[in-house]
Amino acid sequence: MPIPTPFHARTGAICESHEWRNWSGYLAASLYEPTHEREYYAIRNAAALIDVSPLYKYEISGPEAERLVNRIFTRDFSRCAVGQVRYTPWCDDDGKVIDDGTVARLEQNKFRVTAAEANLAWFQDCGYGMAVHVQDVTAELAALALQGPNARLILEPILQEVELKELKYYCFAEGSIRGIPLTISRTGYTGDLGYELWVSPRHALDLWDLLIERGVDFGITPAGILALDIARIEAGMIMNQVDYISSRKALIEEQKSSPFEIGLGWAVDLEKEDFVGRRALIEERRRGSAWRLVGLEVDWNDLEAVFRRWDLTPQVAGRASRSAVPIYRGNRQIGQMTSHTFSPWLKRYIGIGMARSREVREGDAVSVEVTVEYQRLRANAKIVRLPFINLPRKRA
Amino acid sequence: MNHSPNSKRYDAIVIGAGHNGLAAAAILAKSGLRVLVLERRGSLGGAAGAEEIFPDCQVSMGAQDAGLFLPQLVTELGLERLGLRWVETPALTTVFTSQGKPLTLWRDVHRTAQEIAQFSARDADRYPRFADQIFQSSAVLADLMTVTPPALPELRLGDLAVWLRPALHARRLGKKAFMALLRILPMSVADYLDEWFETPALKAALGSTSVIGQMQGPRAPGTAFLLLYHAIHAAHGETRSSRFVQGGPQALIQALTQSAREHGAEICAGLGVVKILIEDGRAIGVELENGERLFARATLSSLDPRRTLFDLVGAHNLELHVVREVKNIRLRGSLARLNLLLSNLPQFNIQASEFERLSGHVVICPDLDYLERAYDDAKYGRFSHKPFLDIVIPTLCDPSLAPDGNHLMNINVQFTPRWLEWDDLQRRALLDVVLNTLSTHVPELRQQILDIQLLTPLDLEREFSLSEGDIYQGQMGLDQLLFMRPIPGFPRYKMPLGDLYLCGAGAHPGGGLTGAPGYNAARQVLRKFSAQ
Amino acid sequence: MPVKYDVIVIGGGHNGLTAAAYLARAGLKTLVLERRHVLGGASVTEEIFPGFKFSVFSYVVSLLRPEIIRDLNLPLHGLTILPLESTLTPLPNGDYLYRGADHYESYRNIARFSPRDADAYEDYGRMMYFMAKAVKYILGIIPPDPASLHPADLNGLLNLARRFLGLEREQFYTLMRLMTMSSADFLQRWFESEPLLGTLSASGVIGTFLGPRSPGSAYVLLHHYMGEIDGVFRSWGFAKGGTGGIASAIASAARSFGAEIRLNSSVSRVLTRNGSATGVVLESGEEFSAKVVVSSLDPQQTFMKLIDPTLLPEEIVEALRLYVYRGSSGKVNLALDAAPKFACWPGQGPHLRGAISISPGVDYIEHAYDEAKYGRFSSRPYIDIVIPSMIDPDMAPPGKHVMSCFVQYAPYELADGDWDQQREAFGDAVINTLSEYIPNLKDILLYRQVLTPLDIERITGLTQGNIFQGELSLSQLFFLRPAPGLAKYRTPVRGYYQCGSAAYPGGGLSGATGRLAALQILRNEFGRRDKT
């Protein structure tokens, strides 16, 4: 049975929908209200408060901590200063992605990693023989994401020891709110202006209450996973086990992906010192990747036409779907759309998927499978650049 | 001897001047390569070398018997021309039981059968047939000694050719003997011997050999294989491959050293390697303790795979699956070595006329249950309170090894775990247990002792750079043989890095004073060079 | 004029019945002869104590081949397999390790002992999935003979090699390790925490005379991982109505296809003429003739008792003489007045609906094994418990429970005394051990049935009480089981077949042997190829 997060006393009390998800063994509200629309709009228009405590968290510390993170991750951490955060994938020996997450440099010799899946044994083995300590701190850190245009306004007056305006995108600082010590990072999984707060579980409920109290005039709204899922697809952010399969979990070779294939080529630094998977990735860079990440926009007019055959209007769920559907060019399947949703903001049906890299280019016309009245049909779609929404305030 | 290398560049650099390192160097030098051997210690030979531990005595530090030494090395290097003299003692193994008469396995099969007849007519009758089976089966293993195991599962046709000889040999055994071999290999030595014999002392004499250096008792499946392994070069009728070198194992080291030098190899003692230099995923040479860098087209390490890959190459230079493999190599120190200088020949419980019995291995292990119990202690992290001792008295075949009619006694104390606090107290406790055990057979032993050297597994680890004090550089279980040795995927002496070769016991075919890993690795290097 | 059958099956255990069902399904006139008054052999349910139904011997199902369930339509004949949800490992300090269907719950439970192990547990499970998948193929084929040059065998070997060499590199090596390592060593490649190592390694010793540190036990680990229910690897189940439910379902299926089954019919000899089987004679003197006779009994009875061994080639007789049975386990069945209260987890809960394993650490099991090595039953044994009445309420009166305890080690050969003298002391050792974890056990104990290996032998006819009809060791597997040349169901006596657990692919409640033997008989003797 999933267990409660440190915020459960609050989230449980307000969860009118009684709809929970099992997120890494923790109870995570899918949505709090009967529909998730208001929660989604809070992300884009006001501020959403999201419990992200179930993320796996690790601390890597010791004299050779930098050496280890540089060995594990594909990005160059010698150029990551204390106070900075980097988003990065990590790979196995064959250059296949195990997981992706953020790495914050807490001190010269101390890093904090967030991950979608458990990674302790892997990190420890990468550090074999190094003067370094890897520790699972998942249970020692509660985490809240405060995401949306008002996030800064809410935090600014109550946050001490940190000048929020100075806190740049993908940076973090140590501060406190009414005496509660916390780490605040200018990060998120929504593509909007937002912060993530890392705090001891002891202070979790106090922090929640303070934020709600302070945020109420700015539209703060607790939001569940459903709203978050839509926002992250709009922001073109991939998800482990949904958009790609971790190489540690794949059952066959074909299920594995390289960072290049899942749109994270920009996060691979082949020039830096050796890291796990480098040899294979150099080879793949030379040879070219078989797959690539694509954004898809389904032609709404065509979707209407498909449904009109049954005298229906498009029956697309308001929720993001994690069941993959095939992508076709002509009659040939060239990939699959792995996450897709109606974007309430764009009023378009959008999706993230994987396609054979030789067969797609941006702007290409393709089609995706749509099931209407138990029949599998296709709707026209276009390969588009990710992200779907790129707000200036994301980096502000 | 402590000179510095004449050059900065060589064709091949060999790390470690143990018998395998020297064998590899000699073979390479003989082919005309410029070879440099680097030895950290002040003397050569590693655990097979000797030092003047006792005044005027050259004492072998680890090795006893040279029966497993590869015949190809002797002939190809002409070691006999260089003064190597074998001593084949009449006795192979003598077991002293706590009460009653000793049992000796003689080199002569009929003499042995007569001996056994005093214990059991049935066993005496079966012994010659048993010796036949050992001879046939171990011959197949002997063929495998110089085979380079293929890299399964990425098998290529060329890899299979090398198996032809052993396979044909195995086929020549006939279907019945072949099936018997397949059945025996995974068996426990206790089960195997139980099928043949009833006399406890006989089973102990035969079976005790197969646990030496292992952290496994005689009931452990896979130990029967080791019984065969220890008989690979045995002549028909002998059940143990045992022969000594005139002058001790160190004379063999001297012959190898001389052969290497004659062919132009440079051998530097007192020069430790701290690092294998790597460039673009290839080994390009070594860095010495003094910071000096030397370069070579091929680097051969006779250290164990963990030392080589973790300490010299560095785990961070290896792929993760290799790190995990190396980390998980079963290295288990299980042996302590006690060297004694005695005022005169120890009086075991035999007539003076029977001293011949002492000429081979003298084994304190009355039956296999004794051996299993000795292992039980070690299994839970203690040394055996009744240890199994494998003793050789080298001064019996070569009195010149000790002055004034004194005698040396080399004792392998089996089932002595590495992971004990090896402080003075512990060492004294171990010494007491061993001497007490011995004193039951040689009552006046303590009065005869002139000098003592005790090497615990920790000492062996430190002295001879043996990880965990494992004398075989990796346990000789079925899971760590052939293409699984030293780690799967790299069985051809080539290591995960280009131009780096493993030439010690950690590589196929494994441990013991064989020289085979060194010989095979050198030939692998030559093959590579000739292809270039 | 006696009736002439097409096939007579000796023994109404699950393999005999499975064979009979397949043969009858193919339209053959089939007769099953069972010595006892109940069917099932070691898979029987008996009401030993009024109101309480015991799965007397075998107690869980995992290996029953799904194709047999499908082919024979067993659910229509009353077979229902209920899932066992979890494994609880109570610890002496009052803590516990609980692993259930919820991945994250198991993760958290393991993480309490080692967060690293919790992470590695998934990798391990995935690897074992691959292994079971690879081996599943072997279980479905007839083992080729490696020493034969017959095209069918060569082809079989080639296919096998291709299958294995086609495995992904790491999977191939893992399979090699499973075949050769000890379960403790194998598991230590992933794990470090004692409770997890202990309880996982326990599956490596079930039914064998090996400890968790004995090489070869890793294979048994896999053997127990191959269970398959509803297409999911490694799920254990419990047959409704007890294990006897399986036998009665197969028997019912066999009867529906027209097979005749006779109870209380002990076969004394197989009749032969000119080296061919012609029928059987019962102890009562009654004779039945048949074209083919197939024995589901163990090799000792099949070859040494039922037929005249002189009909067999000498080397097969010799091999059968060397075939090791070595019973190592006992069974204690308890009738309880109420639900047991575990100290570590009082009250009822999911933990009582799964397996409960008294295996708190590797050393614990190893100590238990040590005692058995020297001929004593374990004073604190490894115990595998299920409480069938928690899953199937019909097994005991309302509110009361039956508890089935598989106990290891109980060596068939005792050093002192015999099992008739030691039976109650053995029962006491089990109850005392259990009471350390279940404080209310003695208060709720209504009745205990203690079955020693000797009892298992007497009741079921399994030689030495070995539940697999012979030790599952590498030297007795695949083409070596039960003897070289006997691995293929057919025997040297024309028309005489074997279909017991000792034939390939070995023991467990799989029925695979019965099925494969039946298919062979249909092909060889009746010229039919079964489509399934």
Side-chain angles (χ1 to χ4, degrees):
Chain A
M1 211 183 82
I3 55 169
T5 74
F7 298 105
H8 192 77
R10 298 293 179 272
T11 55
I14 59 169
C15 186
E16 291 173 19
S17 73
H18 292 289
E19 210 181 308
W20 298 87
R21 249 190 212 175
N22 184 341
W23 179 2
S24 299
Y26 288 92
L27 278 171
S30 293
L31 69 175
Y32 291 95
E33 298 179 1
T35 77
H36 61 277
E37 267 182 37
R38 216 175 67 84
E39 296 170 23
Y40 165 78
Y41 279 110
I43 296 175
R44 296 283 177 238
N45 289 319
L49 189 61
I50 308 161
D51 177 3
V52 293
S53 305
L55 282 170
Y56 288 88
K57 292 159 289 241
Y58 300 95
E59 273 178 18
I60 295 177
S61 56
E64 291 189 285
E66 181 185 298
R67 193 165 172 216
L68 175 56
V69 295
N70 261 338
R71 175 157 162 78
I72 300 172
F73 304 110
T74 56
R75 290 183 78 179
D76 185 358
F77 281 86
S78 60
R79 286 185 284 169
C80 173
V82 173
Q84 289 187 327
V85 186
R86 294 270 190 272
Y87 168 70
T88 178
W90 53 99
C91 300
D92 62 17
D93 286 326
D94 302 324
K96 303 299 183 189
V97 181
I98 291 174
D99 202 349
D100 62 291
T102 60
V103 182
R105 189 165 203 159
L106 304 180
E107 297 165 17
Q108 190 57 33
N109 287 329
K110 190 170 178 185
F111 295 83
R112 182 185 293 156
V113 184
T114 66
E117 301 285 339
N119 274 278
L120 185 65
W122 182 260
F123 290 167
Q124 284 180 340
D125 286 354
C126 287
Y128 191 84
M130 292 186 197
V132 67
H133 182 66
V134 185
Q135 201 188 345
D136 183 345
V137 293
T138 304
E140 291 156 40
L141 278 176
L144 282 177
L146 184 63
Q147 303 279 313
N150 290 352
R152 188 176 293 153
L153 292 173
I154 294 169
L155 287 170
E156 215 153 30
I158 52 173
L159 184 68
Q160 279 153 347
E161 295 133 60
V162 180
E163 194 52 62
L164 261 195
K165 284 208 180 66
E166 306 292 307
L167 190 64
K168 296 272 185 310
Y169 190 49
Y170 268 83
C171 287
F172 73 91
E174 307 282 343
S176 68
I177 293 180
R178 304 247 180 101
I180 301 173
L182 50 79
T183 306
I184 177 167
S185 57
R186 180 61 189 81
T187 49
Y189 197 46
T190 60
D192 218 298
L193 170 67
Y195 298 89
E196 286 170 312
L197 307 170
W198 313 87
V199 67
S200 157
R202 278 185 297 139
H203 301 305
L205 297 180
D206 289 342
L207 179 65
W208 178 278
D209 292 343
L210 282 166
L211 291 171
I212 294 287
E213 181 195 317
R214 162 67 195 163
V216 71
D217 295 338
F218 299 89
I220 196 169
T221 306
I225 305 296
L226 294 183
L228 185 63
D229 217 13
I230 296 173
R232 70 102 188 162
I233 295 172
E234 290 175 336
M237 292 167 149
I238 54 165
M239 191 169 192
N240 188 346
Q241 299 309 102
V242 176
D243 299 305
Y244 73 94
I245 295 174
S246 164
S247 74
R248 276 180 72 190
K249 303 205 175 203
L251 296 177
I252 50 172
E253 262 331 283
E254 289 68 26
Q255 292 177 336
K256 300 176 181 176
S257 307
S258 77
F260 301 125
E261 293 175 324
I262 59 171
L264 297 181
W266 61 271
V268 178
D269 188 342
L270 295 175
E271 303 306 312
K272 72 159 182 167
E273 64 179 298
D274 202 15
F275 61 90
V276 181
R278 179 166 175 260
R279 180 190 48 77
L281 291 175
I282 288 173
E283 175 61 20
E284 181 172 326
R285 175 102 295 185
R286 195 182 60 73
R287 215 186 44 227
S289 305
W291 294 87
R292 60 164 285 192
L293 183 77
V294 293
L296 291 134
E297 199 184 298
V298 181
D299 181 341
W300 188 259
N301 291 332
D302 194 47
L303 202 59
E304 281 189 333
V306 168
F307 277 90
R308 206 178 298 127
R309 296 195 213 168
W310 276 267
D311 203 17
L312 291 167
T313 52
Q315 309 278 303
V316 292
R319 297 181 171 192
S321 169
R322 292 180 181 181
S323 16
V325 296
I327 305 171
Y328 293 94
R329 155 172 306 195
N331 280 327
R332 192 176 141 70
Q333 189 179 337
I334 56 163
Q336 58 277 345
M337 183 161 75
T338 46
S339 296
H340 41 115
T341 184
F342 179 73
S343 163
W345 208 69
L346 296 167
K347 307 297 180 203
R348 294 170 196 269
Y349 200 82
I350 57 172
I352 294 176
M354 302 278 287
R356 294 188 188 280
S357 53
R358 294 211 180 115
E359 310 219 17
V360 286
R361 226 164 289 152
E362 254 152 52
D364 279 1
V366 294
S367 60
V368 293
E369 187 180 282
V370 186
T371 304
V372 185
E373 287 300 295
Y374 321 108
Q375 297 210 26
R376 294 178 174 196
L377 304 169
R378 294 181 201 163
N380 293 334
K382 196 168 70 177
I383 304 291
V384 298
R385 180 186 290 267
L386 289 171
F388 299 98
I389 296 180
N390 200 2
L391 300 163
R393 66 173 180 256
K394 175 171 83 173
R395 297 167 161 277
Chain B
M1 196 169 347
N2 296 13
H3 61 96
S4 52
N6 294 328
S7 170
K8 291 266 180 226
R9 291 193 179 274
Y10 292 86
D11 290 322
I13 292 176
V14 179
I15 304 168
H19 66 285
N20 277 313
L22 291 170
I27 293 287
L28 291 171
K30 183 168 175 269
S31 299
L33 300 188
R34 294 197 60 191
V35 180
L36 172 69
V37 183
L38 295 164
E39 169 58 48
R40 179 182 53 84
R41 301 180 74 236
S43 62
L44 303 178
E51 278 174 34
E52 195 178 323
I53 293 159
F54 310 138
D56 297 326
C57 298
Q58 289 291 319
V59 183
S60 168
M61 304 279 280
Q64 288 177 324
D65 197 316
L68 297 183
F69 197 74
L70 194 69
Q72 286 94 324
L73 274 171
V74 180
T75 48
E76 287 183 32
L77 297 176
L79 297 181
E80 282 164 3
R81 183 181 51 82
L82 297 173
L84 182 68
R85 292 286 170 271
W86 299 107
V87 181
E88 300 205 331
T89 57
L92 295 170
T93 308
T94 297
V95 167
F96 281 97
T97 58
S98 43
Q99 73 288 346
K101 50 196 171 187
L103 186 149
T104 300
L105 303 177
W106 302 100
R107 203 169 284 277
D108 180 86
V109 68
H110 303 294
R111 189 174 177 192
T112 310
Q114 280 167 18
E115 173 104 9
I116 296 170
Q118 298 171 35
F119 295 83
S120 155
R122 178 177 168 273
D123 286 358
D125 179 47
R126 300 181 129 217
Y127 185 77
R129 272 190 291 134
F130 174 76
D132 284 346
Q133 188 172 67
I134 296 284
F135 181 72
Q136 284 182 341
S137 306
S138 58
V140 176
L141 298 191
D143 283 346
L144 290 175
M145 294 298 279
T146 51
V147 161
T148 301
L152 292 169
E154 303 95 354
L155 199 65
R156 285 185 307 240
L157 205 62
D159 294 334
L160 285 173
V162 297
W163 289 88
L164 215 57
R165 204 172 106 93
L168 284 175
H169 202 137
R171 279 214 66 86
R172 268 207 309 279
L173 285 177
K175 178 171 171 158
K176 194 179 156 197
F178 176 64
M179 284 299 214
L181 177 63
L182 284 184
R183 196 178 74 87
I184 295 166
L185 289 177
M187 285 179 80
S188 80
V189 72
D191 279 348
Y192 179 48
L193 293 172
D194 278 344
E195 288 183 352
W196 283 93
F197 304 118
E198 59 189 13
T199 309
L202 174 59
K203 289 189 271 188
L206 291 164
S208 55
T209 322
S210 48
V211 300
I212 290 173
Q214 297 294 108
M215 194 46 108
Q216 287 291 3
R219 288 174 192 258
T223 44
F225 153 75
L226 284 156
L227 182 73
L228 302 180
Y229 184 78
H230 284 283
I232 41 174
H233 303 310
H236 188 218
E238 302 173 3
T239 47
R240 178 179 195 166
S241 206
S242 169
R243 57 179 175 174
F244 298 101
V245 175
Q246 184 77 43
Q250 56 269 31
L252 179 60
I253 295 300
Q254 279 156 16
L256 281 171
T257 307
Q258 202 182 332
S259 164
R261 287 216 168 108
E262 273 183 7
H263 291 115
E266 270 181 68
I267 302 173
C268 298
L271 276 184
V273 171
V274 291
K275 199 192 264 182
I276 290 171
L277 300 172
I278 292 152
E279 204 175 275
D280 293 333
R282 312 195 77 77
I284 54 163
V286 299
E287 185 176 311
L288 303 180
E289 281 160 337
N290 60 17
E292 198 182 339
R293 293 172 160 225
L294 302 168
F295 302 92
R297 292 162 67 200
T299 305
L300 291 82
S301 170
S302 65
L303 303 190
D304 66 62
R306 197 178 290 168
R307 290 265 160 156
T308 304
L309 291 172
F310 283 171
D311 295 0
L312 298 183
V313 170
H316 59 281
N317 283 315
L318 302 170
E319 296 201 318
L320 241 286
H321 71 272
V322 176
V323 172
R324 285 183 162 172
E325 291 295 353
V326 176
K327 192 166 86 109
N328 283 317
I329 296 175
R330 290 188 305 111
L331 286 151
R332 297 204 181 142
S334 67
L335 203 72
R337 171 67 165 238
L338 179 63
N339 292 318
L340 299 179
L341 180 63
L342 304 174
S343 52
N344 35 18
L345 189 64
Q347 298 287 313
F348 281 85
N349 191 17
I350 45 173
Q351 305 293 315
S353 61
E354 293 187 299
F355 280 144
E356 235 180 24
R357 289 188 186 274
L358 304 182
S359 63
H361 293 254
V362 174
V363 168
I364 306 299
C365 170
D367 55 66
L368 292 180
D369 266 1
Y370 175 98
L371 196 57
E372 184 70 26
R373 284 179 205 274
Y375 162 60
D376 286 348
D377 282 329
K379 190 162 71 173
Y380 304 112
R382 306 180 292 264
F383 58 75
S384 316
H385 65 288
K386 287 181 173 172
F388 155 43
L389 308 175
D390 183 358
I391 304 163
V392 167
I393 306 169
T395 37
L396 268 180
C397 34
D398 186 353
S400 72
L401 290 169
D404 313 326
N406 291 346
H407 278 276
L408 286 171
M409 202 178 202
N410 302 328
I411 307 167
N412 284 339
V413 185
Q414 178 63 33
F415 298 129
T416 311
R418 158 73 179 82
W419 294 108
L420 288 176
E421 278 296 320
W422 282 113
D423 53 13
D424 281 353
L425 215 63
Q426 190 82 264
R427 296 170 65 91
R428 204 162 309 139
L430 175 65
L431 188 63
D432 268 347
V433 163
V434 175
L435 294 182
N436 287 343
T437 306
L438 264 180
S439 297
T440 60
H441 302 278
V442 189
E444 63 284 10
L445 181 82
R446 282 178 192 270
Q447 293 85 291
Q448 297 180 340
I449 295 174
L450 301 175
D451 219 335
I452 291 177
Q453 183 204 26
L454 175 65
L455 294 162
T456 68
L458 178 64
D459 298 327
L460 292 172
E461 170 169 341
R462 290 187 177 152
E463 196 63 42
F464 303 113
S465 305
L466 293 165
S467 295
E468 316 245 337
D470 188 328
I471 57 160
Y472 288 162
Q473 297 192 348
Q475 293 280 285
M476 298 274 288
L478 296 180
D479 56 319
Q480 299 196 147
L481 293 177
L482 287 170
F483 56 86
M484 305 288 277
R485 191 173 188 92
I487 55 170
F490 303 98
R492 291 189 265 185
Y493 305 94
K494 287 182 214 157
M495 283 284 90
L497 297 153
D499 299 333
L500 175 64
Y501 298 80
L502 203 67
C503 67
H508 171 79
L513 189 54
T514 70
Y519 176 79
N520 294 346
R523 291 201 310 167
Q524 200 63 28
V525 172
L526 292 174
R527 217 165 287 157
K528 170 83 186 300
F529 281 8
S530 69
Q532 277 172 358
Chain C
M1 164 93 189
V3 210
K4 167 120 181 174
Y5 291 91
D6 288 322
V7 185
I8 291 173
V9 179
I10 304 172
H14 68 283
N15 273 318
L17 290 170
T18 301
Y22 272 90
L23 294 165
R25 194 176 70 137
L28 300 185
K29 191 165 174 53
T30 308
L31 171 68
V32 180
L33 296 168
E34 165 58 40
R35 179 178 53 92
R36 297 190 68 209
H37 61 283
V38 282
L39 285 172
S43 48
V44 289
T45 305
E46 289 182 72
E47 196 172 314
I48 301 291
F49 187 67
F52 293 81
K53 292 175 192 150
F54 290 160
S55 287
V56 181
F57 306 103
S58 175
Y59 56 103
V60 283
V61 206
S62 83
L63 302 166
L64 185 63
R65 303 294 308 161
E67 60 266 30
I68 295 176
I69 300 179
R70 286 190 296 267
D71 290 350
L72 303 181
N73 249 329
L74 295 184
L76 285 186
H77 294 282
L79 179 73
T80 307
I81 295 179
L82 304 162
L84 277 172
E85 291 176 23
S86 58
T87 304
L88 172 77
T89 309
L91 304 177
N93 64 3
D95 201 347
Y96 65 85
L97 173 67
Y98 178 74
R99 294 172 295 133
D102 179 349
H103 166 81
Y104 295 108
E105 186 179 28
S106 304
Y107 176 94
R108 285 193 300 267
N109 254 281
I110 298 169
R112 288 197 296 123
F113 301 95
S114 159
R116 184 189 159 87
D117 284 5
D119 183 17
Y121 190 61
E122 181 161 334
D123 289 341
Y124 173 73
R126 188 166 142 271
M127 186 49 82
M128 291 308 269
Y129 159 83
F130 289 131
M131 294 299 100
K133 198 162 129 260
V135 173
K136 187 187 160 182
Y137 167 78
I138 313 181
L139 288 190
I141 61 157
I142 293 158
D145 179 348
S148 152
L149 289 173
H150 190 279
D153 281 314
L154 286 180
N155 201 33
L157 275 177
L158 212 68
N159 279 335
L160 200 66
R162 217 174 278 139
R163 191 85 184 185
F164 284 135
L165 296 175
L167 283 176
E168 193 254 325
R169 142 189 97 188
E170 203 188 334
Q171 293 172 22
F172 176 80
Y173 297 130
T174 306
L175 191 62
M176 291 297 114
R177 293 199 169 98
L178 270 173
M179 304 299 282
T180 50
M181 286 182 89
S182 77
S183 55
D185 283 335
F186 182 76
L187 291 163
Q188 268 167 4
R189 297 176 65 85
W190 283 271
F191 307 119
E192 61 187 12
S193 66
E194 205 46 37
L196 186 63
L197 283 169
T199 201
L200 288 177
S201 68
S203 334
V205 300
I206 289 180
T208 73
F209 208 111
L210 296 171
R213 293 207 173 87
S214 308
S217 51
Y219 169 75
V220 186
L221 206 66
L222 177 64
H223 201 86
H224 285 95
Y225 227 94
M226 287 183 302
E228 195 181 350
I229 296 174
D230 300 334
V232 181
F233 285 113
R234 202 198 66 96
S235 18
W236 289 85
F238 172 80
K240 186 164 172 61
T243 316
I246 295 174
S248 50
I250 304 175
S252 160
R255 284 195 189 102
S256 78
F257 297 127
E260 196 180 322
I261 300 172
R262 291 204 185 193
L263 297 172
N264 302 307
S265 304
S266 179
V267 174
S268 93
R269 281 176 47 75
V270 172
L271 300 169
T272 55
R273 190 167 37 211
N274 302 330
S276 296
T278 58
V280 301
V281 56
L282 301 188
E283 311 241 306
S284 63
E286 200 177 348
E287 287 191 13
F288 297 93
S289 61
K291 190 171 176 214
V292 172
V293 177
V294 51
S295 165
S296 66
L297 311 187
D298 68 30
Q300 176 62 28
Q301 305 187 62
T302 301
F303 297 107
M304 311 302 253
K305 239 179 83 188
L306 292 180
I307 59 167
D308 179 358
T310 57
L311 288 171
L312 301 171
E314 195 187 331
E315 64 246 37
I316 285 189
V317 177
E318 172 68 3
L320 289 169
R321 187 184 67 79
L322 299 178
Y323 186 71
V324 174
Y325 292 90
R326 213 169 273 178
S328 63
S329 49
K331 185 79 194 295
V332 173
N333 296 310
L334 306 178
L336 303 179
D337 202 22
K341 278 197 187 72
F342 278 82
C344 65
W345 188 335
Q348 297 210 12
H351 62 299
L352 299 182
R353 297 194 294 268
I356 300 157
S357 178
I358 307 295
S359 51
V362 174
D363 276 359
Y364 177 93
I365 309 172
E366 194 69 33
H367 276 295
Y369 168 58
D370 285 349
E371 289 179 273
K373 282 195 301 198
Y374 306 114
R376 299 186 302 271
F377 60 78
S378 312
S379 51
R380 303 181 74 225
Y382 155 55
I383 309 175
D384 192 34
I385 306 164
V386 289
I387 309 170
S389 48
M390 285 283 172
I391 307 161
D392 177 4
D394 300 344
M395 299 294 283
K400 301 183 192 299
H401 290 282
V402 287
M403 191 158 129
S404 159
C405 308
F406 173 84
V407 188
Q408 202 158 319
Y409 299 83
Y412 179 79
E413 310 257 12
L414 289 173
D416 301 305
D418 61 45
W419 272 115
D420 287 322
Q421 298 162 343
Q422 301 256 359
R423 184 175 298 106
E424 294 313 312
F426 173 59
D428 290 345
V430 174
I431 298 295
N432 289 336
T433 302
L434 288 174
S435 297
E436 289 175 33
Y437 302 93
I438 313 170
N440 75 333
L441 183 69
K442 285 178 183 167
D443 304 330
I444 58 173
L445 185 60
L446 297 174
Y447 176 78
R448 77 181 194 195
Q449 179 192 28
V450 181
L451 295 161
T452 68
L454 181 66
D455 299 320
I456 295 174
E457 179 182 66
R458 279 177 186 160
I459 301 171
T460 65
L462 289 165
T463 300
Q464 297 196 9
N466 184 297
I467 61 171
F468 294 134
Q469 291 196 352
E471 182 87 319
L472 277 187
S473 65
L474 209 49
S475 23
Q476 299 196 158
L477 283 179
F478 212 49
F479 49 81
L480 294 171
R481 190 173 183 90
L486 273 192
K488 291 190 189 174
Y489 314 108
R490 198 180 243 182
T491 73
V493 178
R494 270 196 306 281
Y496 187 41
Y497 282 76
Q498 49 167 347
C499 72
S501 287
Y504 186 80
L509 240 177
S510 79
T513 328
R515 172 174 171 269
L516 291 172
L519 297 183
Q520 277 282 297
I521 292 168
L522 286 172
R523 186 177 315 159
N524 297 347
E525 307 290 336
F526 299 95
R528 292 188 211 173
R529 274 183 182 271
D530 196 293
K531 293 288 181 298
T532 54

